Amino acid sequence: MSFPDFNGSDAQVQWQRFCDLIWYHDDLGIWLDVSRMHVNTSHLEALQPGFEKAFAAMQDLESGSVANADEQRQVGHYWLRAPQLAPSEPVREHISQEVDRIEQFGKDLIGGRIRTPSGEAFTDVLWIGIGGSGLGPKLMIEALQNSGQGLPFHFFDNVDPNGMSTVLAQLGETLKTTLVVTVSKSGGTPEPHLGMEQARHRLEANGGQWAGQAVAVTMLDSKLDQQAQREGWLDRFDMFDWVGGRTSITSAVGLLPGALIGSDIRSFLAGAAQMDEATRVTDLRRNPAALMAASWFLAGEGKGRRDMVVLPYRDRLEVFSRYLQQLVMESLGKRLDRDGNTVNQGIAVYGNKGSTDQHAYVQQLRDGVDNFFATFIEVLQDAGDIPVIQSERPGDFLDGFLQGTRSALTEGGRQSISISMRRFDARRLGALIGLFERAVGLYGELININAYHQPGVEAGKKAAAAVLDLQSRVEAVLNDGASRSVSEIRQALGDGTDESVFWIMRHLTGNERGYSAVGDWSSPATMRFSKG
């Protein structure tokens, strides 16, 4: 299918396509435009039966069916913004109570009613979380925090010791007045545990009192929850068993940072609930998430053969492409379908923000390999405190760059989706997240994969644990002080490979841990290693 000539004799045809393939929500003030994707009404009619099954599956999920069969778990992130949909009264009450507690905690801490053990007001937040437990909070902070509003945030979202060192140095003496939030659903994930121990060590070394400054976001009765109870931490918030990390932003994972920057978390939840309602419509052409999922499906021939390039034209949404990487790629990137067939599905996501980054890669998008579709996101309302100088308005240029880039891609036969918002605030952020969450769910059903488990992630965790075990045994072999080659170390171990041993030795000798190396690093077989 080819595009009409938008500026020539087919302009009226394109206008009709635009009218047929645009969706608008009057109260939210949000448009979705898929008219520049290779999709038409006949395609949508052909896909309607497949979507009927997808709509039914989503209804079962929201009703409480076990959607994550690997872990025998329900998938209930939609209940977080509409507790009345939860399958039992205790769950409904628990959700509502947690939102109340989070909102009050934020108000009391910002207002100075909750203080450090030494009686000082809290000045900063150190947030410790990995994956969705870091990306969701970062999105909330970048998108919603206004200057001078709430507390400044710092993040441990990796186990990079250099990154930790930088953050701790930035905090310095203010660690004594820093709230430390550790997020770990199971309570046993290595990355947040390591970050927590480093933060605790430095905080106490600087005269802080951990228990009075620490908050846990975890499942009830997890290892972390038990520790927080035992030590009398400042507070604990539930990360429900039925919420996955990549869909946890409307739980305490996203709401607590929202409350600590003084954002309107009720409005955030209301926006997500409004979009949830709009995306339950079973008419494909009247459901924005279904329109988006159908466009993804047709663009990639149902095989994920095109990448998703996310281009939000607002600084506040710079983190959004990274957030979508996890939501989309962890959900859809699966080797097996529900029937056990090898399908190797997925949609790769990348991007940053316009107009800055259109200078970085639009050249290839316009003229290079045609293996993507773009997703433009715009906000119509500009900040009111930026004046007109010499008849120039920055917002006009930003809009011009967006429309110009969109047109340039179309002229090159490249596909794009556009999402436009009259204004941007907590409610629209909630709606935007709800739109993509539902599109991912529907697309997963359309291609017959389970969007709610993550066997590849679990495999990576097991492989990392195996490497750490191998390293401990390598160190034990070298404890006698003898000099050994890579092959000799591997033979002493009785397993592993020469390459895996070489990688471990390169790491050990790169730090001041008492290991030395002799030989030519460019010829690993010549190297000899020892301790002491």
Side-chain angles (χ1 to χ4, degrees):
M1 174 182 171
S2 62
F3 284 122
D5 176 3
F6 298 158
N7 299 311
S9 60
D10 289 330
Q12 191 58 41
V13 174
Q14 174 56 19
W15 173 245
Q16 189 59 54
R17 275 180 56 80
F18 175 80
C19 294
D20 289 343
L21 296 172
I22 191 169
W23 171 91
Y24 179 66
H25 193 288
D26 187 62
D27 186 48
L28 288 168
I30 296 177
W31 288 268
L32 173 72
D33 174 7
V34 299
S35 66
R36 298 201 179 199
M37 296 291 284
H38 287 185
V39 55
N40 59 35
T41 54
S42 62
H43 290 137
L44 299 181
E45 289 169 2
L47 286 174
Q48 184 68 34
F51 272 98
E52 294 294 343
K53 295 180 181 179
F55 292 140
M58 294 298 291
Q59 185 175 6
D60 288 344
L61 180 148
E62 288 193 306
S63 298
S65 66
V66 174
N68 186 344
D70 286 11
E71 300 175 11
Q72 283 299 298
R73 282 176 171 164
Q74 297 169 311
V75 175
H77 52 278
Y78 294 109
W79 309 335
L80 295 168
R81 50 264 200 164
Q84 69 276 12
L85 298 177
S88 70
E89 185 59 31
V91 173
R92 291 192 284 270
E93 290 181 359
H94 192 182
I95 296 168
S96 297
Q97 289 169 1
E98 284 297 291
V99 175
D100 290 343
R101 289 204 315 115
I102 290 167
E103 185 177 50
Q104 192 60 52
F105 181 84
K107 289 178 178 178
D108 288 346
L109 193 133
I110 292 173
R113 292 179 290 279
I114 295 177
R115 291 181 169 263
T116 68
S118 60
E120 297 176 86
F122 281 97
T123 60
D124 296 81
V125 178
L126 174 57
W127 190 274
I128 304 171
I130 198 78
S133 299
L135 285 168
K138 272 196 170 179
L139 177 59
M140 293 292 289
I141 301 306
E142 293 288 334
L144 300 179
Q145 188 166 27
N146 295 321
S147 179
Q149 181 184 28
L151 300 182
F153 268 66
H154 313 264
F155 287 88
F156 277 2
D157 58 356
N158 195 1
V159 286
D160 175 10
N162 293 344
M164 291 179 179
S165 176
T166 298
V167 171
L168 292 172
Q170 289 170 346
L171 283 165
E173 288 297 314
T174 61
L175 267 171
K176 290 186 290 187
T177 55
T178 294
L179 183 76
V180 183
V181 182
T182 303
V183 188
S184 177
K185 183 176 178 178
S186 68
T189 306
E191 295 96 329
H193 172 76
L194 289 165
M196 180 185 76
E197 292 301 327
Q198 291 295 325
R200 182 172 191 158
H201 174 78
R202 185 68 63 87
L203 183 148
E204 291 178 343
N206 280 20
Q209 299 180 48
W210 177 261
Q213 297 178 232
V215 170
V217 177
T218 185
M219 286 195 303
L220 291 179
D221 208 35
S222 72
K223 181 179 179 180
L224 179 62
D225 188 55
Q226 291 175 10
Q227 178 182 355
Q229 289 186 69
R230 184 173 62 251
E231 296 180 354
W233 288 19
L234 182 59
D235 217 328
R236 298 149 32 233
F237 296 100
D238 193 13
M239 190 173 178
F240 303 103
D241 173 73
W242 34 263
V243 174
R246 58 190 176 276
T247 54
S248 64
I249 195 169
T250 49
S251 74
V253 172
L255 297 182
L256 183 56
L260 291 171
I261 61 171
S263 184
D264 186 350
I265 62 173
R266 301 279 180 178
S267 183
F268 174 66
L269 291 171
Q274 278 187 282
M275 186 57 75
D276 291 344
E277 188 67 29
T279 56
R280 291 189 187 102
V281 174
T282 57
D283 181 346
L284 169 53
R285 292 181 60 186
R286 295 178 180 273
N287 181 323
L291 279 173
M292 197 151 66
S295 299
W296 297 352
F297 182 87
L298 292 165
E301 301 172 24
K303 307 288 186 182
R305 289 177 177 158
R306 289 182 186 274
D307 302 338
M308 183 191 306
V309 181
V310 182
L311 285 168
Y313 275 66
R314 290 290 172 179
D315 290 353
R316 283 184 178 269
L317 288 170
E318 181 176 357
V319 179
F320 193 55
S321 60
R322 290 180 58 204
Y323 177 82
L324 289 182
Q325 280 181 334
Q326 182 178 16
L327 175 63
V328 175
M329 296 175 72
E330 191 171 14
S331 297
L332 302 181
K334 302 295 162 65
R335 181 170 64 90
L336 302 176
D337 67 11
R338 292 186 186 275
D339 300 321
N341 301 311
T342 299
V343 292
N344 299 118
Q345 281 282 3
I347 298 176
V349 178
Y350 65 95
N352 204 331
K353 68 177 180 180
S355 66
T356 300
D357 293 285
Q358 69 187 46
H359 293 278
Y361 46 70
V362 165
Q363 172 61 39
Q364 177 170 313
L365 300 186
R366 171 63 171 76
D367 294 342
V369 59
D370 184 10
N371 65 345
F372 73 95
F373 60 90
T375 301
F376 293 99
I377 303 174
E378 70 167 337
V379 178
L380 302 182
Q381 186 182 63
D382 296 329
D385 62 343
I386 300 299
V388 180
I389 299 177
Q390 296 180 353
S391 301
E392 294 179 341
R393 300 173 185 268
D396 292 351
F397 281 84
L398 188 69
D399 181 66
F401 287 135
L402 185 153
Q403 291 197 47
T405 303
R406 181 171 175 263
S407 295
L409 293 184
T410 302
E411 288 166 4
R414 310 307 165 92
Q415 302 180 62
S416 67
I417 295 170
S418 297
I419 299 170
S420 304
M421 294 173 277
R422 287 194 179 278
R423 54 180 296 196
F424 184 75
D425 54 17
R427 188 152 68 104
R428 277 75 190 179
L429 178 63
L432 192 61
I433 288 165
L435 173 62
F436 277 91
E437 284 181 348
R438 184 80 64 168
V440 164
L442 291 172
Y443 184 89
E445 297 299 333
L446 204 61
I447 61 174
N448 193 34
I449 58 98
N450 185 347
Y452 303 105
H453 68 165
Q454 48 280 335
V457 175
E458 298 307 318
K461 291 179 180 179
K462 291 177 182 177
V467 170
L468 291 170
D469 175 68
L470 183 64
Q471 177 179 315
S472 68
R473 291 189 289 122
V474 166
E475 293 186 75
V477 167
L478 293 174
N479 272 339
D480 61 5
S483 173
R484 292 178 175 86
S485 70
V486 166
S487 294
E488 288 170 345
I489 296 171
R490 190 256 307 155
Q491 289 168 7
L493 290 170
D495 66 351
T497 67
D498 286 359
E499 182 186 11
S500 61
V501 171
F502 177 69
W503 271 69
I504 287 169
M505 291 312 306
R506 201 165 50 179
H507 168 68
L508 290 175
T509 57
N511 295 277
E512 296 180 2
R513 296 168 67 168
Y515 295 93
S516 61
V518 177
D520 181 0
W521 282 106
S522 66
S523 181
T526 69
M527 298 297 299
R528 297 192 68 82
F529 301 95
S530 61
K531 183 175 182 180

